Amino acid sequence: MQTTSLFYGGYGSGKTMLVASSFWDFEHERPWPGQTGRIIYVGQEGNDALNIDPAWVKSFPFAEADPKEFGEEFQEYIRKLIKRNSSSGKEHIDHVALDGWTELCYGYTWMYKQHQKEEEDAEKGGWVAYRAWKDLFMTAVQLLAPRTLKANVLGTARIGEFRKGTKVKGQKEVQGGDPEWMSESKYFPALEGWAKHHLGNYFKLVAYMEEDFESKIVGGKVLHLPVYKTYMLNVGDFKVKNQWGHHWRKRGYPAVLENATWPQIDKMLDTWNRKEVRNADDGGDIPGDTPVPGAGPDDDPADPGHAG
């Protein structure tokens, strides 16, 4: 399935591994059969411990000497992927994983601030540079779209908190706060300005992730093992967007997935578009054990004849 997904959470919550699992089988340290992909690291993002083939990895660090270099090279690379996927002569890239959107947003903000002095020296107040960097960011958003890229697009983001703002003495309005409509949730993907308020509209799935632990007795010893949870529905203080949420609830799928991979999530999203549920060989069984409240006992998502 070609769609747009954003997974956000704190560091160590498994975000990068999940998006890279769209094309990489970490258990066997090789690509999934018949799948190709790229993981793109922005700024200081990166995870060598994942041991992904370097040929499938691309990094775009920030260059202080030339702030514009990052923005230009990043967009040039995405355009090359678009051209590649539009050509019949080269291997198609099925999945593009961006790690991450927070760093990309901050990167463009950083570039603006680095360039601002030059514009101020020209007595333009920095607004020319600000608009230029915002345009570059919006261009990146438009390029990283499935219809344009002809690929499945996944991304990561760090976690941010709703800001109430402060009341300045002598002023009626609260300063530095987020819009009131955002107050329905406490936590959101960490972004700035326009991106914080609007970037979620460009994703069909925005899921929150966190690391938890479970205790198991192995060989007579109690081991505390990490569990990586992915929240697919709004069941807490964190903002979750699931375009397929009504199908998700109707089928009785878990609100929270445990140690999920993208092929597992993709299989769940794709079942109502197909009469047959694909077997577990392409990524494993449906993970998690947290049911959706109100799911009927006969609403079995594992039943291949389930109509939803």
Side-chain angles (χ1 to χ4, degrees), residues 274-296:
R274 302 174 55 158
K275 293 182 179 180
E276 295 183 4
V277 179
R278 289 175 290 171
N279 61 43
D281 293 338
D282 58 359
D285 296 324
I286 293 173
D289 57 4
T290 306
V292 177

Short mmCIF file of all heavy atoms in Angstrom, two decimals, residues 274-296:
data_model
loop_
_atom_site.label_atom_id
_atom_site.label_comp_id
_atom_site.label_asym_id
_atom_site.label_seq_id
_atom_site.Cartn_x
_atom_site.Cartn_y
_atom_site.Cartn_z
N ARG A 274 -9.12 -5.96 0.29
CA ARG A 274 -8.96 -7.23 -0.39
C ARG A 274 -9.87 -8.27 0.25
O ARG A 274 -10.20 -8.20 1.43
CB ARG A 274 -7.50 -7.70 -0.28
CG ARG A 274 -6.51 -6.70 -0.86
CD ARG A 274 -5.08 -7.13 -0.60
NE ARG A 274 -4.82 -8.47 -1.09
CZ ARG A 274 -3.62 -8.93 -1.37
NH1 ARG A 274 -2.58 -8.16 -1.24
NH2 ARG A 274 -3.44 -10.17 -1.80
N LYS A 275 -10.27 -9.25 -0.52
CA LYS A 275 -11.15 -10.29 -0.01
C LYS A 275 -10.39 -11.31 0.82
O LYS A 275 -10.97 -11.98 1.67
CB LYS A 275 -11.88 -10.99 -1.17
CG LYS A 275 -12.86 -10.08 -1.90
CD LYS A 275 -13.58 -10.84 -3.00
CE LYS A 275 -14.58 -9.94 -3.71
NZ LYS A 275 -15.29 -10.66 -4.79
N GLU A 276 -9.08 -11.44 0.56
CA GLU A 276 -8.28 -12.41 1.29
C GLU A 276 -7.26 -11.69 2.15
O GLU A 276 -6.63 -10.73 1.72
CB GLU A 276 -7.56 -13.36 0.32
CG GLU A 276 -8.50 -14.25 -0.47
CD GLU A 276 -7.74 -15.21 -1.36
OE1 GLU A 276 -6.48 -15.21 -1.27
OE2 GLU A 276 -8.37 -15.95 -2.11
N VAL A 277 -7.06 -12.16 3.37
CA VAL A 277 -6.03 -11.63 4.25
C VAL A 277 -4.72 -12.33 3.93
O VAL A 277 -4.66 -13.55 3.92
CB VAL A 277 -6.40 -11.86 5.73
CG1 VAL A 277 -5.31 -11.32 6.63
CG2 VAL A 277 -7.74 -11.22 6.05
N ARG A 278 -3.68 -11.57 3.66
CA ARG A 278 -2.40 -12.18 3.36
C ARG A 278 -1.87 -12.95 4.56
O ARG A 278 -2.13 -12.60 5.70
CB ARG A 278 -1.40 -11.09 2.97
CG ARG A 278 -1.69 -10.48 1.60
CD ARG A 278 -0.75 -9.33 1.33
NE ARG A 278 -1.09 -8.21 2.20
CZ ARG A 278 -0.35 -7.13 2.31
NH1 ARG A 278 0.78 -7.04 1.67
NH2 ARG A 278 -0.72 -6.14 3.09
N ASN A 279 -1.09 -13.98 4.29
CA ASN A 279 -0.57 -14.78 5.39
C ASN A 279 0.54 -14.04 6.12
O ASN A 279 0.98 -12.98 5.70
CB ASN A 279 -0.08 -16.15 4.90
CG ASN A 279 1.05 -16.03 3.89
OD1 ASN A 279 1.94 -15.23 4.08
ND2 ASN A 279 0.99 -16.82 2.83
N ALA A 280 0.97 -14.63 7.22
CA ALA A 280 1.92 -13.95 8.10
C ALA A 280 3.35 -14.00 7.60
O ALA A 280 4.24 -13.43 8.21
CB ALA A 280 1.85 -14.57 9.50
N ASP A 281 3.61 -14.67 6.49
CA ASP A 281 4.98 -14.82 6.02
C ASP A 281 5.59 -13.51 5.55
O ASP A 281 6.80 -13.38 5.41
CB ASP A 281 5.05 -15.83 4.86
CG ASP A 281 4.70 -17.24 5.34
OD1 ASP A 281 4.83 -17.48 6.55
OD2 ASP A 281 4.30 -18.07 4.50
N ASP A 282 4.74 -12.49 5.28
CA ASP A 282 5.28 -11.23 4.79
C ASP A 282 5.46 -10.21 5.91
O ASP A 282 5.57 -9.03 5.67
CB ASP A 282 4.36 -10.64 3.70
CG ASP A 282 2.95 -10.42 4.22
OD1 ASP A 282 2.69 -10.74 5.38
OD2 ASP A 282 2.12 -9.93 3.43
N GLY A 283 5.51 -10.66 7.15
CA GLY A 283 5.80 -9.71 8.23
C GLY A 283 5.31 -10.14 9.58
O GLY A 283 5.56 -9.49 10.58
N GLY A 284 4.58 -11.24 9.67
CA GLY A 284 4.18 -11.74 10.98
C GLY A 284 2.73 -11.52 11.29
O GLY A 284 1.99 -10.89 10.55
N ASP A 285 2.31 -12.09 12.40
CA ASP A 285 0.92 -11.98 12.84
C ASP A 285 0.62 -10.57 13.32
O ASP A 285 1.52 -9.77 13.56
CB ASP A 285 0.65 -12.98 13.97
CG ASP A 285 0.80 -14.41 13.50
OD1 ASP A 285 0.42 -14.70 12.34
OD2 ASP A 285 1.31 -15.24 14.27
N ILE A 286 -0.65 -10.30 13.50
CA ILE A 286 -1.07 -9.00 14.03
C ILE A 286 -0.60 -8.90 15.47
O ILE A 286 -0.91 -9.75 16.30
CB ILE A 286 -2.59 -8.85 13.96
CG1 ILE A 286 -3.03 -8.79 12.49
CG2 ILE A 286 -3.06 -7.61 14.68
CD1 ILE A 286 -4.52 -8.81 12.30
N PRO A 287 0.20 -7.87 15.81
CA PRO A 287 0.77 -7.76 17.15
C PRO A 287 -0.18 -7.08 18.12
O PRO A 287 -1.16 -6.45 17.73
CB PRO A 287 2.01 -6.90 16.93
CG PRO A 287 1.58 -5.99 15.81
CD PRO A 287 0.67 -6.82 14.92
N GLY A 288 0.13 -7.19 19.41
CA GLY A 288 -0.61 -6.45 20.43
C GLY A 288 -1.70 -7.25 21.08
O GLY A 288 -2.19 -8.24 20.55
N ASP A 289 -2.07 -6.81 22.27
CA ASP A 289 -3.12 -7.52 23.00
C ASP A 289 -4.08 -6.57 23.68
O ASP A 289 -4.74 -6.92 24.64
CB ASP A 289 -2.50 -8.46 24.05
CG ASP A 289 -1.59 -7.73 25.03
OD1 ASP A 289 -1.51 -6.49 24.93
OD2 ASP A 289 -0.99 -8.39 25.88
N THR A 290 -4.11 -5.30 23.20
CA THR A 290 -5.02 -4.32 23.76
C THR A 290 -6.22 -4.16 22.85
O THR A 290 -6.12 -3.53 21.80
CB THR A 290 -4.33 -2.96 23.94
OG1 THR A 290 -3.14 -3.16 24.71
CG2 THR A 290 -5.24 -1.98 24.67
N PRO A 291 -7.38 -4.75 23.17
CA PRO A 291 -8.53 -4.69 22.27
C PRO A 291 -9.18 -3.32 22.26
O PRO A 291 -9.01 -2.52 23.18
CB PRO A 291 -9.48 -5.73 22.87
CG PRO A 291 -9.15 -5.73 24.33
CD PRO A 291 -7.67 -5.48 24.41
N VAL A 292 -9.91 -3.05 21.20
CA VAL A 292 -10.68 -1.83 21.11
C VAL A 292 -11.96 -2.01 21.93
O VAL A 292 -12.68 -2.99 21.74
CB VAL A 292 -11.05 -1.51 19.65
CG1 VAL A 292 -11.92 -0.28 19.58
CG2 VAL A 292 -9.79 -1.33 18.83
N PRO A 293 -12.26 -1.10 22.87
CA PRO A 293 -13.47 -1.24 23.66
C PRO A 293 -14.71 -1.33 22.78
O PRO A 293 -14.88 -0.55 21.83
CB PRO A 293 -13.48 0.05 24.50
CG PRO A 293 -12.04 0.46 24.57
CD PRO A 293 -11.46 0.06 23.25
N GLY A 294 -15.57 -2.29 23.08
CA GLY A 294 -16.82 -2.42 22.34
C GLY A 294 -16.74 -3.32 21.14
O GLY A 294 -17.71 -3.47 20.41
N ALA A 295 -15.57 -3.91 20.86
CA ALA A 295 -15.45 -4.81 19.72
C ALA A 295 -16.27 -6.06 19.97
O ALA A 295 -16.21 -6.65 21.04
CB ALA A 295 -13.99 -5.17 19.48
N GLY A 296 -17.04 -6.47 18.98
CA GLY A 296 -17.90 -7.62 19.14
C GLY A 296 -17.14 -8.92 19.15
O GLY A 296 -16.08 -9.03 18.54
#
